[in-house]
Amino acid sequence: MTPRMNIFQAAPEGSKAMVAVEAAIGKSGIEHSLLELVRLRASQMNGCSYCIYMHVADAIKNGESNMRLHMLDGWRESSLFTDRERAALNWTESLTRIAKTHAPDADYALLQSQFNETEIAYLTLLVGAINLWNRVQIGLRAAHPVETPAAVAA
């Protein structure tokens, strides 16, 4: 796949604004591991390989287990995720599929059982931001790095 353009070069001010939103989310006090799970789950749902690659790499670098990353698509049936993570992942799926779900009150109530108002605000911004990043990277055909497996390289 050939990239169509680099958004950071073509729209530097807009890209800087998006990075600033991400920085604010990072300072929200929500645990980094949870932020990465949310980013990764939305990216999986949207099929954004660029973002999936980036957020898997970041999660691993910050100590996330390989098994939890493998099980993320099945988080509802897995005992590897906390109630807090489940509430955030449910909200992620609800907002990522907003045209279908319309963010029901039950999903918001579940979120309220685990997060305070400020955290909910930042999680909502996060889901919106990662969905925007997914659409930008998919639409412009951003290509993730390709690593050659050690066995093939030898």
Side-chain angles (χ1 to χ4, degrees):
M1 177 171 18
T2 304
R4 292 177 171 159
M5 76 168 68
N6 181 319
I7 192 71
F8 299 98
Q9 293 172 350
E13 291 303 312
S15 299
K16 284 181 193 174
M18 284 298 299
V19 170
V21 169
E22 291 288 345
I25 292 166
K27 294 176 186 173
S28 69
I30 299 170
E31 53 271 41
H32 183 78
S33 61
L34 180 58
L35 297 176
E36 287 305 319
L37 289 175
V38 166
R39 288 179 179 115
L40 181 54
R41 183 65 192 123
S43 298
Q44 288 174 332
M45 294 172 68
N46 289 322
C48 183
S49 64
Y50 182 91
C51 293
I52 291 169
Y53 181 96
M54 181 171 61
H55 296 299
V56 164
D58 193 44
I60 290 170
K61 181 178 83 178
N62 286 287
E64 184 60 75
S65 78
N66 287 327
M67 186 52 69
R68 280 174 34 101
L69 295 175
H70 288 300
M71 295 299 292
L72 185 57
D73 187 42
W75 67 267
R76 290 180 190 276
E77 291 79 31
S78 174
S79 60
L80 297 176
F81 300 94
T82 67
D83 289 343
R84 184 171 164 89
E85 290 167 337
R86 290 173 183 285
L89 292 168
N90 187 67
W91 190 239
T92 301
E93 291 187 0
S94 185
L95 294 185
T96 299
R97 294 186 179 122
I98 194 77
K100 181 178 179 182
T101 69
H102 304 283
D105 290 341
D107 290 352
Y108 190 76
L110 177 61
L111 197 64
Q112 286 180 305
S113 75
Q114 298 295 319
F115 295 93
N116 65 40
E117 188 174 78
T118 300
E119 292 172 323
I120 291 170
Y122 277 105
L123 279 171
T124 302
L125 287 171
L126 173 62
V127 175
I130 191 57
N131 275 281
L132 175 55
W133 282 120
N134 291 165
R135 281 149 181 77
V136 167
Q137 302 301 34
I138 292 168
L140 299 179
R141 304 288 190 261
H144 64 79
V146 176
E147 298 171 4
T148 306
V152 175

